[in-house]
Amino acid sequence: MTPSEGVGRGVESVLEMLESLLALGGMVLLRDSVEWEGRSLLKALIKKSALYGEQVHVLGCEVSEEEFREGFDSSINSRLVYHDLFRDPLNWSKTGEALPGGPLEALRALCGRTDPGPITVALDSLSWLLLHLPCTTLCQALHALSRQDPCPGKQVRVLGLLHEELHGPGPVRTLSSLAQAEVTLSGAMGQASAHILYRRPRQHPTHQTQWFSILPDFSLDLQGGPLLEPQPQPDPHTPPVDPTNHLTFNLRLSKKEREAKDSLALPFQFSSEKQQALLRPGPGQATSHIFYEPDTYDDLDQEDPDDDLDV
């Protein structure tokens, strides 16, 4: 297989994975950061769903409807139903344009929809919802939305954008456990990449990384990754540098120093001559004896001399 065929098969596998993300129901979690924004990828997936002929419901929290629809052509916009939480999220104006029940009622209303055929629900963003709803309440609503009882010809998939840096590890792990697929955005040298974690039922999770760019019409352009600058290779003829050359102390011993070290008798080490001198006193040295006089109350048992110790 040639390198070009390998790249082609890799792109096809990623395309199949992206297709499967949209073809199956469940939740797709898009995790972005300050350096690598994820709204463009969210809109690219929305466009893909709309091209399949699906109805797309967008819960818009962070940008206006006009800004979100910008870049889509009329055929895509005709399939978008925008639920506006950006203009008046708490319904302070009382004009009737805002969603009366707030974000939670908007999610519950999406759960109760009976649109024929598969639908896509895009949440822009989960971070905004986490700031206005308890994490447990949001997760229960997402679970009810993405795990509805499948009806013939009807599937519900949820695309959730999460600004990962705004939250602690607890909410991120909780939302991650609800998702069938996670797309973590990163990049290098100005080119974006998506690390895709795909959880299939009764199978091991699949990991894959794809480099991509998003065109002005929100089409995905899959790429092979940035070209890394070659690293300079060391010259094999150059002698290795000795790290001990410029030290202020010496790590090596000369032959004379090593002999002096080996011949040194340490004070806590007994030579055989010293041991014999201690154990066998020579002539003229006083020997010691131990004299023991039993006490009146001593109970000496010759058969069990340790009876008083209770052992």
Side-chain angles (χ1 to χ4, degrees):
M1 182 175 61
T2 64
S4 60
E5 291 175 348
V7 172
R9 291 187 182 182
V11 171
E12 288 177 2
S13 63
V14 174
L15 278 173
E16 292 173 357
M17 183 172 292
L18 291 175
E19 298 280 345
S20 62
L21 294 182
L22 298 176
L24 296 177
M27 178 175 169
V28 179
L29 183 63
L30 306 178
R31 301 164 61 167
D32 71 354
S33 61
V34 174
E35 293 83 5
W36 306 98
E37 61 88 17
R39 184 167 291 113
S40 298
L41 180 59
L42 175 66
K43 295 176 72 171
L45 296 178
I46 288 174
K47 178 181 178 179
K48 198 75 173 176
S49 296
L51 290 176
Y52 288 153
E54 301 177 7
Q55 194 79 15
V56 181
H57 294 267
V58 180
L59 193 63
C61 310
E62 295 185 345
V63 297
S64 64
E65 180 176 0
E66 294 78 11
E67 181 179 349
F68 192 89
R69 291 181 179 272
E70 185 177 354
F72 291 139
D73 56 27
S74 58
S75 63
I76 303 297
N77 277 320
S78 64
R79 295 196 168 274
L80 260 62
V81 179
Y82 196 86
H83 305 270
D84 195 353
L85 282 173
F86 173 77
R87 191 181 307 275
D88 188 10
L90 301 178
N91 198 21
W92 286 350
S93 61
K94 304 296 182 181
T95 59
E97 297 179 359
L99 300 176
L104 182 57
E105 288 302 321
L107 286 173
R108 289 173 176 171
L110 291 175
C111 293
R113 299 194 67 89
T114 57
D115 303 58
I119 63 172
T120 297
V121 177
L123 305 177
D124 184 19
S125 68
L126 289 171
S127 295
W128 188 96
L129 293 173
L130 277 174
L131 294 177
H132 293 80
L133 295 174
C135 183
T136 53
T137 303
L138 176 60
C139 291
Q140 290 171 359
L142 291 176
H143 184 270
L145 183 61
S146 60
R147 303 292 176 89
Q148 296 185 52
D149 294 333
C151 301
K154 179 179 179 180
Q155 289 178 337
V156 178
R157 69 189 56 86
V158 180
L159 305 176
L161 177 61
L162 180 69
H163 309 313
E164 187 174 358
E165 296 171 331
L166 299 180
H167 311 285
V172 174
R173 283 198 298 264
T174 303
L175 291 172
S176 175
S177 66
L178 295 175
Q180 282 68 52
E182 294 182 58
V183 181
T184 303
L185 298 177
S186 59
M189 301 178 64
Q191 188 171 343
S193 67
H195 178 76
I196 303 173
L197 170 60
Y198 186 35
R199 301 182 180 95
R200 293 182 175 89
R202 297 179 297 277
Q203 294 186 23
H204 292 291
T206 301
H207 298 263
Q208 194 159 0
T209 300
Q210 176 60 51
W211 298 88
F212 70 95
S213 63
I214 298 178
L215 303 179
D217 64 345
F218 296 106
S219 298
L220 279 175
D221 181 20
L222 302 180
Q223 300 168 353
L227 296 177
L228 301 179
E229 296 181 358
Q231 299 294 328
Q233 298 295 329
D235 188 358
H237 302 290
T238 303
V241 178
D242 188 357
T244 64
N245 282 342
H246 304 289
L247 296 178
T248 57
F249 53 90
N250 189 12
L251 293 178
R252 297 184 177 88
L253 296 177
S254 63
K255 183 178 179 182
K256 192 173 184 180
E257 291 172 337
R258 188 174 297 279
E259 292 175 353
K261 176 187 174 184
D262 295 338
S263 62
L264 179 65
L266 299 178
F268 53 83
Q269 290 181 339
F270 290 142
S271 62
S272 58
E273 293 82 4
K274 192 172 183 178
Q275 290 177 358
Q276 294 298 328
L278 293 174
L279 296 176
R280 296 179 181 178
Q285 294 182 354
T287 59
S288 59
H289 300 277
I290 298 176
F291 296 94
Y292 172 70
E293 184 176 351
D295 193 75
T296 306
Y297 299 101
D298 283 351
D299 184 13
L300 297 179
D301 187 354
Q302 299 297 333
E303 297 182 358
D304 187 8
D306 297 328
D307 180 58
D308 60 326
L309 302 179
D310 295 329
V311 294

